[in-house]
Amino acid sequence: QTQTHEFHYYSSPQVHRVHPKTLMVGSDLPMTIIGSGYFNSSCMQCRLGQHLSPAKYINTTAIQCLFVPESNTTDSRLKVEVSMNCHDFTENSQEVSVQRPAFFGFIDPVHGPLQGSTVISFHGYNLIDLDGLSCLFGAHAVAAQWISSSLVLCTTPANPMAGNVPV
């Protein structure tokens, strides 16, 4: 007696966009992948570079995957791809950035006059140039100027009284 098996054909899934577009090393936020041709499959996967992750089906245009970029990740941009059968991955992809957490080592100078206008250098590493980058002096935010991945400049605002404020 011959046993019959079935094979399911499907339209190739597509990746149109991903959110977030930037992942931090060590973070564990889910990534939403927007596209088309998704269906609930026991073997849905996402691939970030060479790292595989099971996918969670949301609907025919959205799935979620969890990637935790490791500290030894050397690539700063990785492709995101999707598979519905754990073998064939999408021919199109989207790229995401992988960033290391920013660290501020020190500021210079550490004091200035009440009227403000002192340019403060924030020294650190993995500093990112973002839209709306700012420094917070106590409760007062001021625009920041990104110089490099190790230096950001801010000008102190005026302060009504002498004393320390968190920066």
Side-chain angles (χ1 to χ4, degrees):
Q1 186 166 3
T2 305
Q3 189 175 24
T4 313
H5 297 279
E6 291 185 351
F7 183 84
H8 176 78
Y9 286 93
Y10 57 85
S11 297
S12 296
Q14 301 289 311
V15 175
H16 301 302
R17 65 182 192 277
V18 296
H19 180 77
K21 297 274 294 171
T22 301
L23 299 175
M24 296 300 283
V25 168
S27 69
D28 62 352
L29 292 174
M31 174 183 289
T32 302
I33 302 170
I34 305 298
S36 59
Y38 304 152
F39 59 92
N40 202 358
S41 162
S42 62
C43 201
M44 274 191 313
Q45 284 185 323
C46 301
R47 182 165 62 190
L48 178 66
Q50 297 303 313
H51 302 284
L52 297 174
S53 170
K56 177 184 173 189
Y57 178 80
I58 298 173
N59 59 42
T60 59
T61 61
I63 59 175
Q64 274 191 336
C65 294
L66 185 63
F67 293 111
V68 182
E70 298 174 6
S71 59
N72 62 355
T73 300
T74 57
D75 295 322
S76 62
R77 299 199 60 74
L78 296 172
K79 288 183 179 182
V80 176
E81 301 166 294
V82 172
S83 173
M84 303 311 292
N85 66 0
C86 291
H87 292 280
D88 302 308
F89 283 85
T90 48
E91 293 180 14
N92 73 324
S93 62
Q94 291 288 312
E95 283 192 345
V96 295
S97 300
V98 177
Q99 300 288 337
R100 299 189 181 290
F103 173 78
F104 286 104
F106 65 96
I107 62 172
D108 181 50
V110 294
H111 35 245
L114 286 174
Q115 67 265 24
S117 299
T118 301
V119 176
I120 304 290
S121 298
F122 288 81
H123 298 271
Y125 53 86
N126 300 325
L127 308 180
I128 303 167
D129 186 12
L130 299 171
D131 289 338
L133 187 64
S134 63
C135 297
L136 194 60
F137 292 88
H140 192 93
V142 295
Q145 180 185 5
W146 183 86
I147 302 299
S148 71
S149 63
S150 61
L151 179 62
V152 170
L153 302 179
C154 288
T155 302
T156 60
N159 200 52
M161 54 191 279
N164 294 333
V165 295
V167 180

